[in-house]
Amino acid sequence: MRKFPVWLNILLGMSFGLVFGIFAVWLEWESFTNDWIKPWGTIFLNLLKLVAVPLVFVSLVKGITSLKDISKFRRIGLKTIVIYLVTTVFAICVGLVLVNSIKPGDVFPTEKKAEYSSKFSNTVEEKQQSAEKIKDESPLSFIVEIVPENIITSASKNSNMLQIIFVAVLFAIGMVLLPESKTHVVYGFFEGLNDIILKIVDIIMKAAPYGVFALMAALVVDFSGDKEIFIALGMYMITVIIGLLFLLLMVYPLLIRLVTGMKYMAFLKAILPSQLVAFSTSSSAATLPVNLRQCVVEFGVSKEVANFVLPVGVTVNMDGTSLYQAVAAVFIAQVFGIDLTFTQQLMIVLTALLSSIGSPGIPGGSIVMLIIVLNSVGIPVEGLALILGVDRLLDMLRTVVNVTGDVVVASIVEKSENKIGL
Ligand code: ASP
């Protein structure tokens, strides 16, 4: 396998996993797959998650401190956030235009409504409880949430990434504001730590083809019982997928072409390893190590920019997630026969934007936040039950878009700073 480029190895692993999964279902090897294949996928996933928190922390500290002066940090920070917001709002609008023109909710079979409502009612209740907690708090609670009272507690959960980002930024600002004579030891320490983590990532990536093989095989086995759901929700899925593919195959390559001059196929090839890992792990956080590498090595983005833009993007920039939330919300409204006004749709833009910022980069991370979008315009939360059955597949695809969007923004920021280009 060593002769092939990384993307091809991972692609092969994934394809073999897919074929194996299909055979496993056919030959009724489900329990063999779950007992003996799936654990390897879980180990691969855990390894990637394991490096996510230290990597975000160290790369952000390194990224910010290498900017040397605080005004450069402010400029890059502001640019990054503004471009993140603009691309996210654009993605939401694409979702809204599609769902309002295709109207997938109008063709949803009514008899399935009751069936799915009871099938997924427990999960909906669980998610609802988490959302209630968020809703009951003060309107400023999302800011309070970002500031942890204990760094160890925040580092204990990958979904607390915003807190890790906050602490890392604070730490780095402290370092930048001090004279170099006081910080050079710590700076060297972080430099070494960063190299070590990236080396670990290299080691983990050697196992990637086998890891994605196991993940894909297990996923096919998991999905196989739900063929019916896929058929009933076909139009909804098609709507989300068209939107995601539009961003992936048209908007991003075009932006990259305009900004860096990179050709269409070169772009797709350079980003493919990140996309394949995102697809098989459904987690932006787990994909960060690969994404950082691709961004620096293949896109020529400087380490100082990539180390800042990508870790922040893991939680803050989710174009795929926000597009999906817009489609899902309007789809549920259509199924329940609710006509949304223009103001309500604007409200969806706003809440989907906020909730994509608040969603953690983990599998299904945005489901709880979707409840908040639904609540904001009075769409019945029970509607969530209708879409949960196919969420995993859409989660895989939207994660691909989320990580691609981060690299595109990193390239734009890089170009505006250092004039990279071909
Ligand atoms: N799984 C997505 C991600 O990690 C988040 C989501 O949309 O649920 O980017």
Side-chain angles (χ1 to χ4, degrees), residues 50 63 77 83 111 114 213 216 230 267 271 317 331 338 373 395:
L50 183 69
I83 306 176
E111 70 278 8
F213 167 85
M216 283 312 288
F230 281 82
F267 167 69
I271 193 69
N317 186 46
F331 168 74
I338 303 169
V373 178
D395 192 8

Side-chain angles (χ1 to χ4, degrees), residues 282-285 318 321 324 360-367 395 398-399 402:
S282 279
S283 166
S284 304
M318 293 192 172
T321 295
Y324 137 84
I362 56 174
S366 57
I367 303 276
D395 192 8
R398 61 186 187 249
T399 310
N402 292 346

Side-chain angles (χ1 to χ4, degrees), residues 22 67 83 103 165 182 186 229-230 232 256 272 303 327 373 391:
I22 294 170
L67 299 178
I83 306 176
K103 297 195 182 8
I165 293 177
K182 297 219 176 206
V186 180
I229 294 195
F230 281 82
I256 280 286
L272 201 58
K303 282 190 179 157
V327 175
V373 178
D391 196 64

Side-chain angles (χ1 to χ4, degrees), residues 242-414:
I242 292 178
L244 296 178
L245 289 182
F246 174 65
L247 293 182
L248 278 179
L249 301 176
M250 299 187 70
V251 178
Y252 293 148
L254 189 72
L255 273 175
I256 280 286
R257 183 69 194 252
L258 289 177
V259 173
T260 67
M262 199 173 195
K263 298 243 169 63
Y264 191 84
M265 287 316 281
F267 167 69
L268 293 187
K269 226 165 99 180
I271 193 69
L272 201 58
S274 302
Q275 293 181 331
L276 295 175
V277 174
F279 186 76
S280 34
T281 60
S282 279
S283 166
S284 304
T287 313
L288 177 67
V290 195
N291 219 19
L292 262 175
R293 204 175 59 167
Q294 292 309 111
C295 191
V296 174
V297 177
E298 301 287 340
F299 288 83
V301 174
S302 66
K303 282 190 179 157
E304 60 172 12
V305 170
N307 277 340
F308 174 72
V309 180
L310 294 191
V312 172
V314 165
T315 21
V316 172
N317 186 46
M318 293 192 172
D319 298 346
T321 295
S322 53
L323 182 146
Y324 137 84
Q325 288 189 330
V327 175
V330 179
F331 168 74
I332 295 172
Q334 287 168 352
V335 173
F336 281 86
I338 303 169
D339 246 339
L340 294 172
T341 61
F342 182 70
T343 329
Q344 280 173 312
Q345 306 235 7
L346 268 187
M347 194 65 193
I348 292 181
V349 176
L350 190 70
T351 45
L353 173 67
L354 292 177
S355 84
S356 80
I357 295 174
S359 299
I362 56 174
S366 57
I367 303 276
V368 171
M369 299 311 254
L370 178 59
I371 296 185
I372 297 173
V373 178
L374 297 178
N375 273 329
S376 72
V377 278
I379 302 168
V381 178
E382 292 67 34
L384 202 60
L386 308 179
I387 57 168
L388 280 180
V390 292
D391 196 64
R392 186 61 208 263
L393 181 67
L394 296 181
D395 192 8
M396 294 159 83
L397 285 171
R398 61 186 187 249
T399 310
V400 170
V401 175
N402 292 346
V403 302
T404 310
D406 293 347
V407 173
V408 171
V409 173
S411 304
I412 299 175
V413 173
E414 176 69 30

